[in-house]
Amino acid sequence: MNPSDPSPTLPSALYTESDLPPTLPGLLDAESGLSGSWRTPLDQLDLLERERPAQATPWLYRQAILLAGLWAVLLTTLALALATRQPWLGLRLAAQDGQVQVVDVVPGSPAAVAGVHVGAQLQALATADGTQAMTLQLDDLRANPDELASYADWGRFYERQDRLARLLGDASLRLTMVAHGAQEEALLLRPAPTRPPGSLPPLFWTLMVLQAAIMLMAGWVITVYPPQPAAPRSAVGAMAISLVLAGVAVFGTRELALPSTLFHALVVLQHAGSLVAALAVASILSHYPSRLPEMGGWRVWVVAGLFLLWALADAGWWLPSPNWASRAMLLAAVVVVTVQAVRQWQLHSGGDSVARDEARTQALIWIPAAFCLFGLREGALLLGWAPPLSQAWLYGLVVVAVAGRAVTHREVRVFELDDWTRQVLLTWGAGVTILLCYRLLQASRWLSDELAMLVSVLGLGLVYVLLTRRIWGRGILRRSQTQRELTSAILALGLTAPEDRGPLWMALLENTFEARVSLADGAQPYRVTTVLDGGRTLWVPPVAGLPGVLLGQRDRGRPLFARSDRRMAARLSALAAQIIHARDAYVRGASEERLRIADDLHDDLGAKLLSLAHAGEQGEAGADVARLAREALEEMRLSVRHLKAQPMPAADVLADWRAETVARLSAAGVQVDWDAQLSGRVAPLPMRTVAHLTRVLREAVSNIIHHSGASYCRVLLQLSPTALHLDVEDNGQGMGLPGARGGAGGLSSIERRVRRLGGTHRFGSGALGGTLLMVRVPLESPHS
């Protein structure tokens, strides 16, 4: 890293997903033990957070998603077969103004061919000869007999369904129609023996998608988390709900009638599936997050047996009325679910924070879902009210609940949804409160509808926001250090001496997360920033000389550490490492530069000045004094160029080297053979490289002049865009003869300078009988 390069903008690195500029020299990876890109800890924290040993799982668990998909396909195929193997008219009927009215006619259908028009009233059906006539009633369009008050009404409904099914199965029908207030009109129609799949309403396909989604979610839970006891229970509940949705899709989207046997079987399947799903939820809440006392052994089987007998009585109509059968049975299951959820909540209300949050999340998911599905429907029917929503759409809430349950298993860390659940509750609370206020003002007739809505939104909405501000501030927008405070703390960390960084690092983490910080004992538990112990502690590994620490009691121990906390700690670690490495590189570069200047002054300029002083003491040494003065001047100029760090063209460098080398050797009476080859487009050489190689060449020439006794010297220099090769050979006495080591200090200087350039050198005997110096140096960019 060049010390003169500007440092990256610190605050942006704290709050962007792209994280830090890639300026670290790989040290962060080396110290944290990560492989690949140094961004890996932030991209794959979910994968690296828990390094559990691989566990062998049964084949059923491993193939759970595939089996769930096959189950969904099988149910869809079966439902499609039952829905399409019925006679088809091509009509969509609805109850309007107390009459059975045609609201849609499928083009090309038997009804369209017979001349049935949208808006006409269908009053009766009969065989072609007029016998077996049957006047339609509004109850014939009822989606589900559950809404009927007594078993006698159910019997009459099934009887009419049988009669209508037999009529629709006839080869020809006579429809009695009344079109737009005109007189009755009889139309002959030939029903199609089967119903085209394309004529099925969107509701049918919506329910099929929902049942497939709920099965795939259950299969995903089992595949990913097979050791969880809640996983197979969730799968049982999902299978039961998928059966219910398939049955509702068949009888809830029928055109007009189904045979009573099939209809009743689907209704019984709906009741049984709803009961099994509710009991599966109760079983989950009985064992998760902790097993409730007195919920094992024979007690479970007694409860299951009682509900099984109840379901059989419901299927056989053995009870006094539907109020005592399916409605009371499903409401009792809702009570069981609620009781178990409350017991779990109470069991962990004052204990472990993880289990407490898991129990709370379970209650927030299942109690509203069970209430919406069974309470809003079965409770309303029990009181004699009309359900607020159709049965098909109420079952969609179960899919939402199962999806919420799937993503809040223990292994997915329910604490990560803690802030989300609070936001959802506050949002729902605001919406429900505003809606209730609007309906009350509307019912009072004090204000118009528009003014009532305006008062509700502006008035009660603002009041609600003010009332929940304290909850929002404490629960969701937790206080943390500002951007300026974080930047100042990290800069102080980088500018502090290494021995004082540990306390500052711990104080930074403590203030950022308002947590208790302690040094880790023993071996490192993980190589990356990791949430441990179900969210109670956060592990921050050592990096850039900073110690590894454990954070506990987040915000005084109330909330748990979440994924956002983990990512913030990872970014702080990366940014602190970058600042520390940048400062250390700057200090190291400045130190190296000071050492280089000292070496240059000592090895070159100092030696020349010393020789100049000795020569000055001799009166007849005027020429030597002038030569030494020029050499000292050249050394000073070279040092100044190095300090300015301006790169030089390669041709100019070679010319300077040739002129100086030939002049010095010729003056000493040594014949010179200079051969310099420049291949390719060589970029300007950095001054650092030029300075070191100049002194290497000077030292080699000085050794030839003063120690070799040579009369001939050959210099071969090859310069390419990537490397420089320098060979200096003489015909002197060689390095193995006495007196040849007189330049040992110069040889060490050559070795030190070549090593600084990242190159290699070798001394040996040459073909001319003297010493051969070979230097190989890689060339770097002048801007590096």
Side-chain angles (χ1 to χ4, degrees), residues 336-672:
V336 173
V337 170
T338 305
V339 169
Q340 299 301 81
V342 172
R343 291 183 65 193
Q344 284 282 4
W345 200 333
Q346 291 176 344
L347 180 65
H348 301 287
S349 59
D352 181 73
S353 56
V354 177
R356 181 181 66 246
D357 285 352
E358 289 170 350
R360 179 180 59 186
T361 304
Q362 294 293 316
L364 291 175
I365 289 174
W366 289 121
I367 293 179
F371 173 77
C372 289
L373 178 61
F374 302 123
L376 291 181
R377 178 172 176 79
E378 307 301 336
L381 292 175
L382 190 63
L383 296 175
W385 302 342
L389 290 175
S390 66
Q391 184 182 35
W393 296 117
L394 283 173
Y395 276 104
L397 296 174
V398 177
V399 179
V400 176
V402 172
R405 180 65 189 89
V407 299
T408 55
H409 266 282
R410 186 185 186 100
E411 286 82 357
V412 195
R413 297 169 299 279
V414 67
F415 54 83
E416 293 184 356
L417 300 179
D418 186 61
D419 290 348
W420 174 79
T421 55
R422 293 179 184 177
Q423 295 180 45
V424 169
L425 288 178
L426 289 177
T427 304
W428 274 94
V432 171
T433 304
I434 292 174
L435 181 60
L436 289 176
C437 179
Y438 165 69
R439 295 306 298 267
L440 289 175
L441 291 177
Q442 187 185 45
S444 66
R445 300 185 182 277
W446 294 342
L447 303 171
S448 63
D449 288 350
E450 293 80 5
L451 191 57
M453 176 58 73
L454 183 63
V455 171
S456 300
V457 172
L458 296 182
L460 191 59
L462 292 177
V463 172
Y464 184 86
V465 169
L466 293 176
L467 290 176
T468 57
R469 181 178 179 181
R470 187 164 180 265
I471 301 174
W472 188 274
R474 291 181 60 187
I476 298 175
L477 302 178
R478 298 170 179 166
R479 182 191 177 277
S480 60
Q481 287 187 299
T482 64
Q483 195 174 34
R484 178 175 296 179
E485 292 171 340
L486 285 173
T487 303
S488 300
I490 291 177
L491 286 175
L493 188 67
L495 298 176
T496 304
E499 59 272 13
D500 298 329
R501 289 171 181 167
L504 285 180
W505 175 239
M506 297 177 66
L508 171 61
L509 294 176
E510 181 179 2
N511 294 332
T512 301
F513 298 99
E514 296 183 358
R516 179 178 55 81
V517 180
S518 59
L519 292 175
D521 297 330
Q524 301 179 14
Y526 295 94
R527 298 174 298 170
V528 294
T529 304
T530 308
V531 176
L532 300 174
D533 201 13
R536 285 185 290 271
T537 57
L538 178 66
W539 161 250
V540 181
V543 61
L546 300 175
V549 295
L550 281 172
L551 282 70
Q553 297 183 3
R554 172 76 161 100
D555 290 348
R556 300 178 183 177
R558 285 188 295 271
L560 301 171
F561 286 99
R563 180 166 49 190
S564 58
D565 300 324
R566 178 192 60 196
R567 288 181 173 173
M568 172 60 79
R571 292 190 180 102
L572 288 177
S573 296
L575 190 54
Q578 184 173 339
I579 288 292
I580 291 173
H581 290 319
R583 182 182 182 277
D584 291 348
Y586 178 83
V587 172
R588 185 169 57 253
S591 177
E592 290 178 354
E593 188 67 11
R594 287 194 298 269
L595 291 176
R596 185 195 64 78
I597 294 175
D599 286 346
D600 290 349
L601 294 177
H602 177 271
D603 294 345
D604 297 308
L605 188 58
K608 296 296 185 300
L609 293 176
L610 181 61
S611 299
L612 184 63
H614 289 167
E617 295 175 354
Q618 303 174 6
E620 65 278 3
D624 290 337
V625 170
R627 178 179 56 79
L628 290 174
R630 285 193 297 272
E631 290 180 359
L633 181 60
E634 288 298 325
E635 289 294 340
M636 184 186 67
R637 289 174 176 173
L638 184 62
S639 297
V640 171
R641 287 179 193 163
H642 195 172
L643 290 177
K644 291 182 178 180
Q646 294 295 327
M648 293 183 62
D652 293 349
V653 173
L654 295 180
D656 290 346
W657 288 348
R658 183 181 187 279
E660 180 180 345
T661 302
V662 171
R664 291 185 63 194
L665 290 172
S666 297
V670 178
Q671 183 182 355
V672 184

Side-chain angles (χ1 to χ4, degrees), residues 138-200:
L138 294 181
D139 275 349
D140 295 331
L141 304 181
R142 190 180 295 276
N144 194 331
D146 273 349
E147 302 173 2
L148 298 174
S150 65
Y151 285 134
D153 294 337
W154 282 36
R156 286 190 290 271
F157 174 82
Y158 282 149
E159 180 185 0
R160 291 185 59 82
Q161 285 289 303
D162 263 337
R163 291 177 58 191
L164 287 172
R166 286 194 295 270
L167 279 174
L168 293 174
D170 223 26
S172 181
L173 281 179
R174 182 186 300 274
L175 306 182
T176 302
M177 312 289 299
V178 176
H180 306 293
Q183 294 183 349
E184 293 184 358
E185 179 183 7
L187 300 177
L188 288 178
L189 182 146
R190 294 181 177 274
T194 58
R195 184 177 186 177
S199 68
L200 293 171

Side-chain angles (χ1 to χ4, degrees), residues 712-725:
Y712 174 79
C713 174
R714 181 169 58 196
V715 179
L716 175 61
L717 201 152
Q718 296 178 343
L719 187 61
S720 69
T722 59
L724 179 144
H725 294 186

Side-chain angles (χ1 to χ4, degrees), residues 174-370:
R174 182 186 300 274
L175 306 182
T176 302
M177 312 289 299
V178 176
H180 306 293
Q183 294 183 349
E184 293 184 358
E185 179 183 7
L187 300 177
L188 288 178
L189 182 146
R190 294 181 177 274
T194 58
R195 184 177 186 177
S199 68
L200 293 171
L203 181 58
F204 177 90
W205 301 109
T206 300
L207 293 175
M208 290 298 98
V209 170
L210 289 178
Q211 69 89 15
I214 200 172
M215 284 305 304
L216 290 176
M217 283 186 288
W220 171 75
V221 169
I222 292 179
T223 301
V224 179
Y225 312 119
Q228 278 293 325
R233 291 173 171 83
S234 297
V236 171
M239 292 179 66
I241 291 297
S242 65
L243 285 171
V244 171
L245 293 175
V248 172
V250 174
F251 67 73
T253 61
R254 70 188 189 279
E255 186 178 49
L256 185 57
L258 287 177
S260 61
T261 304
L262 176 60
F263 208 139
H264 185 62
L266 295 176
V267 171
V268 170
L269 180 66
Q270 172 206 348
H271 293 170
S274 301
L275 178 62
V276 171
L279 293 180
V281 173
S283 179
I284 292 173
L285 295 173
S286 299
H287 296 80
Y288 185 80
S290 299
R291 187 182 182 202
L292 293 175
E294 302 177 357
M295 282 310 301
W298 60 271
R299 295 179 180 85
V300 175
W301 293 107
V302 168
V303 173
L306 289 176
F307 275 99
L308 175 61
L309 293 176
W310 205 343
L312 291 175
D314 171 55
W317 294 359
W318 299 336
L319 298 170
S321 72
N323 286 342
W324 292 89
S326 61
R327 298 167 190 172
M329 177 178 64
L330 295 176
L331 288 176
V334 173
V335 171
V336 173
V337 170
T338 305
V339 169
Q340 299 301 81
V342 172
R343 291 183 65 193
Q344 284 282 4
W345 200 333
Q346 291 176 344
L347 180 65
H348 301 287
S349 59
D352 181 73
S353 56
V354 177
R356 181 181 66 246
D357 285 352
E358 289 170 350
R360 179 180 59 186
T361 304
Q362 294 293 316
L364 291 175
I365 289 174
W366 289 121
I367 293 179

